[in-house]
Every structure is written in structure tokens, then in C-alpha cells.
Amino acid sequence: MSYSVRVFPSREALAQSYAAILIKDLDRIEPDHYYTIALSGGSTPEFLFHYLSENYAERISWEKLLVFWGDERCVPPEDKESNFRMAYENLLQNVPIPDANVFRIRGEDDPGAEARQYSELVTSMVPFYNGIPQFDLMLLGLGDDGHIASIFPDRPDLFSTGQLYDVAVKPDNRQKRITATGRLINNSSKIYYIVTGKSKASIVSEIIEGKSGSGLYPASRVMPASGHIVWMLDTAAASLLRSEQLNK
Ligand code: 6PG
């Protein structure tokens, strides 16, 4: 499994690079086909979505996207904690994505039932690779504890389960979540981490440099079928990386 590390001088530069990647990928989509993307929650994705809204609303073929989520908090869509609400307010309501192309996780429903229902929805809408759905792009943030999506360090089983989505609990506040499992995440065609800020520098360097003990972090178990991960970092989040790791 290989990875690239791209370091940007600012969140704006990171967002511009991400937009260019999306434009290039969408240009390759054949007529009547779609690009399936799984969004993440978190502050960096929130900035990215807002920036894309402000600067790329007319410059990206949004109608080619089918939008899913890698995880969701078990709250109603109007709750300030909702990942759907965050994406809707910062991006989806501002760009021409048909409502029919947006598939939110129903955080207001019974978590177990919705994890199953959403797994079935993704199975019906997303083309397969290796016998299960394969997102074209899985967007991931990174928690200080090395969590990705809502796979927290206390749930290593979420990397061995055969489920596509399952129920998790955020350890610090016991908030229920619905999350893509490691099996689905690792089957993605592309996995992009977008991580910014000094507070992430330590966890980023532990994971990218494979420091001892880092294998326990969920982020260390992200190994996409495509074999390639792209880390998109600002200089602050990359500030503890050795120079040979940068811009690989
Ligand atoms: C969520 C995200 C989660 C997030 C990380 C990083 O639902 O919160 O899916 O995995 O990406 O916690 O969040 P920050 O960028 O806000 O630190």
C-alpha cells in the first residue's frame, strides 16, 4: 500500500487542489454515469465544502455526483451535530446537485435499522468492486485519537466485520453514530485524508511514519483496495513529518 503526502501553505490552497482533482475526475465520467463520493464530517471538510460553494459552484459538474456519507451522528438532520446539515448548509444547498442524487444517512431513525437500510441503499446505488460497493472517492478527516469516519480505537471489530455500515459510539460523549466499516472504506477507489491544523500534527506524524503503537489507530488500518492513499495536509498538520515524507 502506497501513499502520497501533499502539503499546502493554507486551507485555501488545499481546497483549490482538491477542487482540481474533482474537476479532473468528473471530466472523465462517461455520459449517463456518476461519480460516487462519501463525505466526512469535521471542521476541515466543513471548510472545504464552504470554499467549494464560494468558488466552484459554477465550475464543477456537480450533476455528475452521487453523494453519500462515510458516517453520521444519530441525530435529526436539522441538529447542529448532523453531518448532513453541515454538508447541506456549506455545500449542497449552494451548488446544482439534484436532491435525488443526495443520499443522507437517516440519523433520526433507529441506528441498527438505519445501518442496515443504508447498507442496502449503498448496495443498490454504488457500482461493485471485489463483490461489494466501491465509492469513487472516500473523503476522510482524522480525529486526535486516530479515528476515521466513526470508527474509534475501541472498535477494531469494525475493520473485520462483513457489514458495510454499523453502529458505533463516540467514547467521550457516548453519542451514537452510524459509520462505514473498514471493509467498505478500504474498498474505495480513492481515499483522501484532508487534515489541517497544528493539533493534528502529532497524530498525523505517528500514523504516516508508522511510529510504534500507531497500528492501534483506526487510521493505520485504512488500506484501500487501490493501494493508494492521498494525505492532503496544511503546513501546520504536516509540521512534525520528516522531510522525506513530504510531497511523496
Ligand atoms: C465526524 C467525522 C470525523 C471527523 C474527525 C476529524 O463525523 O466527526 O467523520 O471522522 O472527520 O473527527 O474532525 P475535525 O476535522 O473536526 O477534527
Side-chain angles (χ1 to χ4, degrees), residues 40-188:
S40 167
S43 58
T44 304
E46 183 172 7
F47 172 83
L48 172 68
F49 298 160
H50 182 72
Y51 191 88
L52 292 175
S53 271
E54 293 284 299
N55 300 282
Y56 290 88
E58 311 299 327
R59 298 162 62 188
I60 289 179
S61 307
W62 298 102
E63 72 286 353
K64 293 184 182 177
L65 282 179
L66 294 183
V67 179
F68 302 85
W69 274 262
D71 69 323
E72 182 57 279
R73 290 83 180 278
C74 292
V75 295
E78 63 276 7
D79 190 296
K80 64 178 174 36
E81 279 282 299
S82 165
N83 285 342
F84 167 78
R85 174 179 163 177
M86 182 274 278
Y88 183 78
E89 289 182 342
N90 287 283
L91 179 65
L92 302 177
Q93 68 177 350
N94 308 317
V95 297
I97 296 180
D99 291 347
N101 291 8
V102 176
F103 304 91
R104 73 176 181 91
I105 298 173
R106 294 178 57 83
E108 67 273 31
D109 287 357
D110 172 78
E114 178 57 12
R116 287 188 295 277
Q117 191 279 332
Y118 200 71
S119 298
E120 288 163 16
L121 172 73
V122 168
T123 298
S124 69
M125 295 300 298
V126 177
F128 275 35
Y129 172 81
N130 271 346
I132 60 169
Q134 180 184 52
F135 289 118
D136 290 305
L137 176 60
M138 170 69 67
L139 201 53
L140 293 178
L142 176 66
D144 296 338
D145 59 356
H147 81 257
I148 46 107
S150 285
I151 302 181
F152 299 98
D154 64 343
R155 290 294 306 279
D157 61 295
L158 289 174
F159 273 95
S160 52
T161 177
Q163 305 293 326
L164 300 180
Y165 283 83
D166 207 340
V167 180
V169 176
K170 191 169 189 290
D172 59 0
N173 63 4
R174 311 306 300 164
Q175 183 185 57
K176 280 195 175 177
R177 305 279 188 94
I178 292 169
T179 185
T181 61
R183 183 182 185 215
L184 181 61
I185 291 170
N186 281 333
N187 202 48
S188 304

